[in-house]
Amino acid sequence: MKVKLEKLTKRFPTRGNKNEEVIAVNEFDFEIPDGKLIGLLGPSGCGKSTTLFMLSGLQKPTSGKIFFGDDDVTGLAPEKRGVGLVFQNYALYPHMTVKQNIMFPLQNMHLPKQEIIRRTEEVAQLVQIDELLDRKPSELSGGQQQRVAIARALVKQPRVLLLDEPLSNLDARLRLQTREEIRRIQRETKVTTIFVTHDQEEAMSISDLIVVMKKGVIQQIDEPQKVYDNPVNLFVSKFLGTPPINVFKGKIEDNTLYIGEDKIMKFKADDQEVFVGIRPEGFIVSPKGGLHCQLKNIEVMGRDSSIVSTHPSADSPIIRSIIDSDLKVQPDENGVVTFDVRKNKIFVFKAEGENERIYAEDGGKE
Amino acid sequence: MVDSKKGWKAWLYLAPAIVLLLIFTVWPIINTVRIAFLEGYQPMEAIKGVQYNIGIGNFSDVIAYPKFLDVLKNTLLLTVLTVPISCFLALIIAVFLNSIVKFSKLFQTIYFLPYVTNSIAIGMVFSMMFNIVGHSSVNVAEYTGSLTIYNQFVNDAGQTMGYTAQSWGYINSMLIALGLNPINWINAGSSYTANMAVMVIYIVWNALPFKILILLGGLQSVNKQYYDAAKIDGASRGRVFWRITVPLLSPMIAYVVITGFIGGFKEYSSIVGVFGDTMGPAGSAGKLNTMVGFIYDAMSGNRYGRASAAALILFAIIMAVTLVNLYVSKKRVHY
Ligand SMILES: Nc1ncnc2c1ncn2[C@@H]1O[C@H](COP(=O)(O)OP(=O)(O)O)[C@@H](O)[C@H]1O
Ligand SMILES: [Mg+2]
């Protein structure tokens, strides 16, 4: 089922002040292709849950429309939309067994008993909880509860599956395992899925497309790798990637990009103050380079080394660059290392407003 | 554990409460058990040093007492009728109060009013509401007065008779306004069913606020997300109520039912409130007497042995019913 949002907006009145409003979701426009898994990614409070609740029908949009396929479902009650929703804390009915939890949506559909049992067993196998059917939710681990919640959402064969930070209550290892599981289940059922998370790694690893959000506004929609390689603004570049991108204050003068006094490269654009972002893997140790950093220490982690250094124009206390650990790093007598940068790993952003990306007018050719 | 050196301090602080409990709770309980097994115990004689046989004479005396079975029947009937009705109504009202947004505080106050009002005073108001003043039967053919005649019937002599009243209570006025016949609720000659109906209405109304308070508190602590989940799962309102609300509220419901039964078996002041301390309509004193009323009567008749035995019987009944309640709730309640 294809899902389309048209100028979807949600405003909340602020408590105590009727004239002031929080815009939780601001004119969302996007289309989710049938059978894909979409990651809604953004920091806490940026409107991810609100978007999901509007899709599920639990919250009414202030304006805008939602389409499932060609049906306008904007005014439809939750139970008529055919959505499955996994809540952030699962919201399993504590007084029902796992089996009863899963059967509940089917009983509400007044299906024949045989069908209910058949589908319950089927979905239990899919999420691998066949052995837990007679337990109560309180007798399950976090990961097991998670599966039950997914089973309950899937058992009615929803047109759209919505997951609200489904992994945030799990420990690190289980999180890795469960996200693969969600991916597998999604691939097997081919249900259009919207997955909300504030964890960029999680979103990058399992989504077909990610939607990066900030304060209720969509920043960028694209395949995860493309968003990483080609962020449209400083916020997106900072939000994606571990270790995070290194940001410097810089300027463009005479079609040349400077970081502080360091001349980095040719960059054909109007003279202005800028922010420069360099991915950790974008540094090359080279005496010919233009970027001079004060070396602090080197952390060798197997295949890669992480060079920790400082620079007076850096936006953060330290700069972290990752290089092959076979390479020798030789600082000069003052402890300065010199870096050259990879052109596809350095991004230039406006110093003002929304810090949009500045592209070189000649496309970066020298 | 309290440090043994400081132990005496703890006891010092506890002492006032312990002394009062010993004098006014523990000793009377022990004494009740003692007296119940002293046959024909009389306090005035006991002071003079009269010795009594130990036995179950007081119990057989209670059971053999002609009015005891009526009293037991009244008590059981009132309990069995009022507890389910009041619990169910309280649940409905609590759910309603929990769901409304506007005026919820106003409604909460209204439903809570009976709790802060004296039950004897409310009973007197009820007896006014259900009253008929100057009730008399007249021969319809011969009647020359200006009052309307109700409840006509043909007597043995073939005369058409009917009832007139000087003034109607509020409830009968409403019945008349609706085109129905007034009912002799609580006055002389009223039926047992009518008496019981008044008592059930009164007791249910009086019992509601406490139950609503408990259930509302329970509802407000239920995570709203279960209701969102139920909406997504397509549950109808009825199914949400029976499959989600009731089970999640079951610990509170169990509490309200158990304390309801205990309170029901101890019903007394409500009947005094409506019927006065004759415990019945004029001309049939004791018609609605209850177990607690029976114990009072025995005490005021100086029959301490009988009163104590009846108190122990009541205790045994309450105990048995509570154990059954606890047994059932163990199977049905989701803690
Ligand atoms: N019911 C509500 N009333 C008022 N403000 C709300 C409500 N729900 C969410 N908000 C606000 O809307 C914004 C987005 O919230 P939410 O969608 O929950 O964020 P996220 O899930 O991305 O963390 C936040 O600023 C939050 O305070
Ligand atoms: Mg959220």
Side-chain angles (χ1 to χ4, degrees), chain B residues 113 192 273 279:
Chain B
L113 269 181
Y192 184 69
M279 303 295 279

Side-chain angles (χ1 to χ4, degrees), chain A residues 201-272:
Chain A
E201 208 182 320
E202 211 168 279
M204 301 264 289
S205 64
I206 73 168
S207 315
D208 293 316
L209 282 179
I210 60 172
V211 179
V212 186
M213 303 167 52
K214 175 193 172 189
K215 292 185 184 161
V217 181
I218 295 182
Q219 307 291 309
Q220 191 167 1
I221 307 176
D222 213 331
E223 288 165 26
Q225 195 57 44
K226 287 189 179 157
V227 178
Y228 182 81
D229 289 340
N230 223 340
V232 296
N233 60 31
L234 183 61
F235 173 83
V236 175
S237 76
K238 276 163 105 172
F239 205 76
L240 265 62
T242 32
I245 197 165
N246 300 289
V247 179
F248 302 85
K249 288 196 191 73
K251 63 179 185 241
I252 298 172
E253 237 173 61
D254 299 332
N255 292 328
T256 308
L257 178 66
Y258 292 89
I259 291 177
E261 295 309 314
D262 294 350
K263 191 169 160 184
I264 305 301
M265 62 181 187
K266 287 249 175 292
F267 197 86
K268 198 163 186 310
D270 294 341
D271 288 2
Q272 59 188 307

Side-chain angles (χ1 to χ4, degrees), chain A residues 44-45 47-50 53 88 164-165 196:
Chain A
S44 181
K48 304 180 299 289
S49 297
T50 308
F53 288 147
Q88 189 161 355
D164 190 0
E165 310 218 11
V196 160

